[in-house]
């Protein structure tokens, strides 16, 4: 299985801050990488697919980059509604493993 | 609009089986794969497997569940089912179905179904 490792596991930031979350794959996954936001008690929501493509309807303060094994999700100006846990997921091969999550506190 | 509506919460005893349903609406059912993901209380997301409602290929399961998971489709009702057997307390989790579109993006999710395994 491909292992996905996110860092940090938790992050505390203030409104307006620029924050970044990294995700590392244990082997080359090209750009088969999705990012999700999950708020408490809800299903995950797709933010980014194919490593850097913003899903329709997602605010432009979210961006992402990377390829191969190293990926970054960035929120350019943190908003109160961004309080959530963020997950990366590889879809290069099955099982489509997720990172362990990054809990963002504001 | 696209909707995935899952069955309700279940309480099962250890050793039993559970079947969770996911009814799709708002798009051509057979054109998109459906995946299952679970989340134990306070834990992260775990991919369980996928099924092609259009048929043609067998479902693909995560290796650690291969021996006790089954996914099926009823195209007449646009519903997919996930059955997990030999339940233990470690299977207590919220189970989600998710539609997967182009670029392997999990773009729509069901609301989740809580399965509690307890004696």
């Amino acid at each position: 299985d491909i292992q996905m490792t996110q860092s940090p596991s938790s992050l505390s930031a203030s409104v307006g801050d620029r924050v970044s979350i990294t995700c590392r794959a244990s082997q080359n996954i090209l750009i088969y990488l999705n990012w999700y936001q999950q708020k408490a008690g809800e299903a995950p929501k797709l933010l980014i697919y194919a490593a850097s493509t913003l899903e329709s309807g997602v605010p432009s303060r979210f961006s992402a980059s990377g390829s191969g094994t190293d990926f970054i999700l960035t929120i350019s100006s943190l908003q109160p509604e961004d309080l959530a846990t963020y997950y990366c997921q590889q879809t290069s091969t099955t099982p489509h493993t997720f990172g362990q999550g990054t809990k963002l506190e504001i | 609009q696209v909707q995935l509506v899952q069955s309700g919460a279940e309480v099962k005893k250890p050793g039993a089986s559970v079947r969770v349903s996911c009814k799709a609406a708002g798009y051509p059912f057979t054109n998109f794969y459906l995946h299952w993901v679970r989340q134990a209380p306070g834990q992260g997301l775990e991919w369980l497997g996928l099924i092609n409602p259009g048929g043609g290929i067998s479902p693909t399961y995560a290796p650690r569940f291969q021996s006790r998971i089954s996914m099926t489709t009823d195209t007449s009702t646009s519903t997919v089912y996930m059955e997990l057997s030999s339940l233990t307390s470690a299977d207590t989790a919220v189970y989600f179905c998710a539609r997967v579109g182009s670029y392997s993006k999990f773009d729509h999710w069901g609301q989740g179904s809580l399965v509690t395994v307890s004696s």
Side-chain angles (χ1 to χ4, degrees):
Chain A
D1 298 1
I2 296 176
Q3 307 304 313
M4 305 299 293
T5 304
Q6 288 181 233
S7 62
S9 296
S10 63
L11 175 60
S12 182
S14 300
V15 172
D17 283 355
R18 180 183 180 90
V19 301
S20 292
I21 299 167
T22 64
C23 178
R24 175 162 288 176
S26 61
Q27 61 190 73
N28 186 354
I29 59 170
L30 302 178
I31 60 167
Y32 293 98
L33 192 284
N34 298 331
W35 288 98
Y36 301 90
Q37 175 193 66
Q38 187 181 32
K39 297 182 178 180
E42 297 183 4
K45 173 188 174 184
L46 177 68
L47 297 176
I48 301 281
Y49 63 93
S52 62
T53 303
L54 194 68
E55 172 69 347
S56 176
V58 173
S60 59
R61 63 180 180 274
F62 292 92
S63 64
S65 64
S67 65
T69 61
D70 293 308
F71 303 86
I72 298 175
L73 172 71
T74 299
I75 308 173
S76 61
S77 179
L78 201 60
Q79 299 300 303
E81 59 266 31
D82 299 335
L83 169 70
T85 300
Y86 293 82
Y87 295 92
C88 62
Q89 179 204 27
Q90 65 83 16
T91 58
S92 173
T93 60
T94 58
H96 291 327
T97 42
F98 291 86
Q100 81 277 17
T102 296
K103 186 173 183 179
L104 180 55
E105 299 172 332
I106 301 174
Chain B
Q1 73 279 22
V2 175
Q3 282 191 308
L4 298 173
V5 179
Q6 298 184 222
S7 49
E10 302 257 18
V11 179
K12 296 292 182 181
K13 293 193 180 302
S17 297
V18 68
R19 190 174 81 155
V20 180
S21 67
C22 171
K23 183 174 176 62
Y27 71 94
F29 177 64
T30 57
N31 285 14
F32 294 82
Y33 284 34
L34 280 162
H35 294 228
W36 289 90
V37 173
R38 77 177 187 180
Q39 186 170 39
Q43 302 301 306
L45 301 168
E46 182 173 26
W47 185 84
L48 301 177
L50 67 89
I51 187 166
N52 177 9
I57 63 170
S58 298
T60 299
Y61 305 129
R64 63 186 295 255
F65 299 101
Q66 184 78 35
S67 63
R68 62 189 188 99
I69 195 170
S70 175
M71 295 177 187
T72 55
T73 300
D74 183 346
T75 54
S76 68
T77 60
S78 299
T79 302
V80 296
Y81 299 91
M82 187 283 301
E83 182 166 4
L84 191 63
S85 62
S86 303
L87 294 170
T88 72
S89 58
D91 295 312
T92 294
V94 176
Y95 289 75
F96 296 99
C97 61
R99 189 190 84 161
V100 178
S102 55
Y103 301 98
S104 298
K105 57 177 182 173
F106 287 45
D107 58 5
H108 290 87
W109 294 66
Q111 83 277 17
S113 299
L114 175 61
V115 175
T116 303
V117 182
S118 174
S119 55

